[in-house]
Structures are given as structure tokens and as C-alpha cells.
Amino acid sequence: MFLLTSASPAVTIEDSWPGYSLDLFSYPAHYAGDLDCVIIPHGVIMDRTERLARNIMDDLGNHDIVVLCVLKGGYQFSADLVDRIKALSCNSNRTIPMRVHFIRLKSYLNDQSTEDLHIVGAEDLSFLTGKNVLIVEAIVGTGKTMKTLLKHVQAFKPNMIKVAGVAFFLITHFSYLSDVGFEIPNRFVVGYALDYNEYFRDLNVSWYKCFII
């Protein structure tokens, strides 16, 4: 049975939001001139992630889940989300036994999404059959990548699928997003493990999520 739970509302950042000045934050000097502004400070991301973890606990408490982390961009959000779910499991009457599996998707060339999608580590996901699956992704742009992944995962007949993401773009709305942190303007973002041609992953994720100029 394939089931998507209803989506919870996200924090909306309007297209007119100018972001925070870079002068308010510390960042590596080798990226001077490459960054535009700070869109979401790290502390805000952490507070929102804690709430998403609570939503997931409310939906899936006392049920085993398989966390399917989408690399590379999703690794930081996945780690933070799993840590907060574990903390809630240790400090409440409900608990969520978790397994974590990693797959890698690649569909971007520079800052453009391409038609070619490569899925690494997802050749045999038969262990998902009958399981509650939480797909954890960093950001959803055009939605083509996620739709392809959902179709692939669905073929293994999981009991339920939830999709958790840090953000998706204001111009796009997807019914399959169960728990999402932020709706953001349609601009290319880096930081918090998001990259541009593998650069910018080394940004201090304790401080900011940034726009590329």
C-alpha cells in the first residue's frame, strides 16, 4: 500500500524578502564576492527542524521507520532531523525505532536541473517492502527528481511514505511533501550542505543558508 500523509504548513519566506546582510555573519574569505545574502539563519533552521521532528513523532510514534537520506545535499538536514527524533524518543512515552539508508541522486549541472537522473544506492530497496519510509531531502526545486525517486521507491511496495525537506520553492507546490521547513523564493541557494558544483558545502552550517549571486 502506498500512502502519503497530509502535508503540514511550511514557514513562508516571500519573494520580496531581501535576506540578512552578510556583514552580520562570519563566512570563509574564499567565498567573498560569491554570496548575496543570508536567507535563513542556522538557528531558525534548527528550531524548525525540531518542530518537524515532533510532527513526525506525532504521526509515526511507536512505529518502525526507515529513513532514506538523499545525498549529498540532504545529509546535514537528515542528521539534524534524526538527532531530534532520537531526543524526542528518549524523553517521551512514544518512541520511533529507526533504520537509516543512504542513496545519492544527481540531476544538476552547474545551477540547472537536467533531464538525466542518476540514482546510486537504490538498485535494491526490497527491504522497504511493508515499511514506513521517511525520505529526507534538502530542497525540492522543479520536483522532477523527487517524482522519479517516489516512483522508484513505490515499486518496492512500502506501507507508507513521508517526504521531509528543508525547503521548496514558492512557485511550486507538491502534494507529496509531508513535512517541509520553508517555502523560499525561486533563487539558487547554497549552505547547509547545499552546493554549487560541489563548492560551498564547507560553509559554516552553524550560521547561515546563503544565496548565490
Side-chain angles (χ1 to χ4, degrees), residues 56-57 59-65 89 92-97 132:
I56 292 166
M57 176 68 77
D59 287 345
L60 297 176
N62 298 327
H63 291 83
D64 290 9
I65 65 172
S89 293
S92 71
N93 293 327
R94 307 182 75 188
T95 187
I96 298 183
N132 298 312

Side-chain angles (χ1 to χ4, degrees), residues 37-52:
C37 63
V38 176
I39 180 172
I40 312 173
H42 184 258
V44 177
I45 296 175
M46 293 300 95
D47 286 348
R48 182 66 181 137
T49 300
E50 184 171 351
R51 180 53 197 244
L52 294 181

Side-chain angles (χ1 to χ4, degrees), residues 1 45 47 89 126 128 130-131 157 161 172 183 197 213:
M1 178 175 132
I45 296 175
D47 286 348
S89 293
S126 58
L128 297 180
K131 298 295 193 303
K157 302 185 184 308
I161 297 177
T172 52
E183 295 183 66
N197 279 348
I213 292 176

